[in-house]
Amino acid sequence: MPTALITGITGQDGSYLAELLLAKGYKVFGVVRRSSTTPYERIAHLVDKIELVSADLLDQTSLTDALGDTQPDEIYNLAAQSFVQTSWTQPVLTGEFTALGVTRMLEAMRKAAPKARFYQASSSEMYGKVQETPQREETSFYPRSPYGVAKAYGHWITVNYRESFGLYAVSGILFNHESPRRGTEFVTRKVTDAVARIKLGLAGEVRLGNLDARRDWGYAGDYVDAMWRMLQQPSPDDYVIGTGETWTVEQLVERAFACVGLDWRQFTKQDAKFFRPAEVDLLVADPRKAREKLGWTPTVNFDELVKMMVEADLTRHTGA
């Protein structure tokens, strides 16, 4: 039975990845931080099938101990301060978790589990002010937020440990991927949750920032499959994961309201406080390498994703 250790297992991607690995017969360990509360909502249905290990990306010793005790075959580093907007108000903490946390994980692996295979969650936000369109593995990074800068550090330190120490370490440069498990602070889930509440008479409007920003949105359940495929390759390499299609926030809003038969213009307001200090206008992936080398293609399209999320939020608010 292969074993995997997942940081960020309580998040959107971590929960989908744990489901995938369990279905493939893995023993799954999940790293969780010590806390007086247990925010395990996304993995509540999995807690009796996985083993939780206490460690913290800010604490080197705990990570080394966690890897030494579990001796995983595969390590998936998904934990981070992952909300771009927060990275401007908490830039140092974002750097500690999202940048230096990767170094601590790689150091722990080097010392306690050097034969394991390591996956780092890189981000399309590293491209920021894009230098070419679409964005591929060779496209230069130009991050436009403390989050994007931290992710770029995490990406390059992974490359550095691979080349310096011969570790099997890869990065997946994932474009935006969403699901009903996405946090409500992210624009996709903010929109679908608001649509459900407006339809049910629980809210009157949704306030958003830049409606012209374009993103490549896919389904998180598809993207964790790509993570797994990366660690099954003969040699480590980095891959862009996305759909290759781009949509505006306005198109997202229009389709979400259309799911419940409402006109988005009547309920959507722009609010300056939701604009970024430095905007990322356009992100769209060139996923050819993943398609050709990993055999990976997305199974859920944009309209299906939006419908899935709206219906899940309607169900949640009605208790159906």
Side-chain angles (χ1 to χ4, degrees), residues 8-291:
I9 196 167
T10 60
Q12 169 189 258
D13 292 6
S15 65
Y16 281 112
L17 179 61
E19 287 176 351
L20 177 78
L21 295 177
L22 287 169
K24 292 182 180 295
Y26 279 67
K27 180 176 179 59
V28 176
F29 295 98
V31 172
V32 292
R33 302 172 69 197
R34 281 255 183 250
S35 174
S36 57
T37 58
T38 52
Y40 298 162
E41 177 187 352
R42 295 184 184 93
I43 58 167
H45 61 300
L46 301 175
V47 289
D48 60 342
K49 301 173 184 174
I50 61 179
E51 190 170 327
L52 298 178
V53 180
S54 179
D56 195 311
L57 283 185
L58 301 184
D59 183 71
Q60 183 69 63
T61 302
S62 69
L63 297 174
T64 305
D65 288 346
L67 293 188
D69 292 343
T70 58
Q71 286 297 303
D73 299 299
E74 297 172 5
I75 302 163
Y76 295 87
N77 186 41
L78 310 186
Q81 191 299 101
S82 61
F83 187 45
V84 175
Q85 200 75 31
T86 298
S87 74
W88 275 285
T89 57
Q90 298 182 349
V92 175
L93 185 68
T94 299
E96 285 286 353
F97 275 114
T98 308
L100 291 179
V102 186
T103 313
R104 295 186 190 103
M105 282 298 298
L106 287 163
E107 267 296 288
M109 175 187 173
R110 186 170 73 88
K111 292 177 178 177
K115 300 300 184 188
R117 295 187 169 201
F118 180 89
Y119 171 84
Q120 165 59 17
S122 288
S123 168
S124 60
E125 287 286 336
M126 300 187 303
Y127 295 121
K129 188 176 180 179
V130 297
Q131 302 301 290
E132 67 174 341
T133 298
Q135 293 87 54
R136 56 200 175 100
E137 289 79 7
E138 294 77 21
T139 302
S140 298
F141 299 147
Y142 194 142
R144 297 266 283 171
S145 65
Y147 171 79
V149 172
K151 279 293 186 183
Y153 175 99
H155 180 88
W156 283 117
I157 201 67
T158 302
V159 172
N160 184 259
Y161 268 66
R162 177 169 75 217
E163 296 178 349
S164 299
F165 304 113
L167 299 180
Y168 191 112
V170 310
S171 287
I173 306 172
L174 270 55
F175 282 64
N176 295 65
H177 47 289
E178 319 297 320
S179 77
R181 300 180 194 173
R182 188 58 135 157
T184 52
E185 68 271 25
F186 292 87
V187 68
T188 47
R189 184 73 194 293
K190 178 179 179 178
V191 167
T192 62
D193 180 67
V195 166
R197 288 186 293 111
I198 290 167
K199 178 64 175 178
L200 297 170
L202 303 174
E205 65 178 21
V206 58
R207 291 183 170 268
L208 299 167
N210 182 9
L211 296 179
D212 296 322
R214 302 183 70 91
R215 293 292 184 271
D216 183 330
W217 278 299
Y219 172 52
D222 286 337
Y223 286 45
V224 298
D225 175 59
M227 298 176 189
W228 176 80
R229 288 172 185 248
M230 287 180 217
L231 293 193
Q232 313 314 309
Q233 301 307 302
S235 56
D237 204 353
D238 305 322
Y239 296 87
V240 161
I241 304 297
T243 69
E245 297 181 351
T246 186
W247 306 86
T248 65
V249 174
E250 182 175 303
Q251 288 173 311
L252 163 72
V253 174
E254 182 265 322
R255 280 163 166 76
F257 275 99
C259 288
V260 296
L262 296 175
D263 181 351
W264 69 275
R265 297 176 192 83
Q266 296 179 22
F267 305 99
T268 305
K269 301 280 193 300
Q270 281 194 291
D271 190 325
K273 76 177 182 180
F274 296 117
F275 281 79
R276 295 181 179 187
E279 187 56 73
V280 173
D281 297 312
L282 168 66
L283 292 174
V284 57
D286 178 353
R288 281 180 294 178
K289 182 177 173 182
R291 185 170 62 246

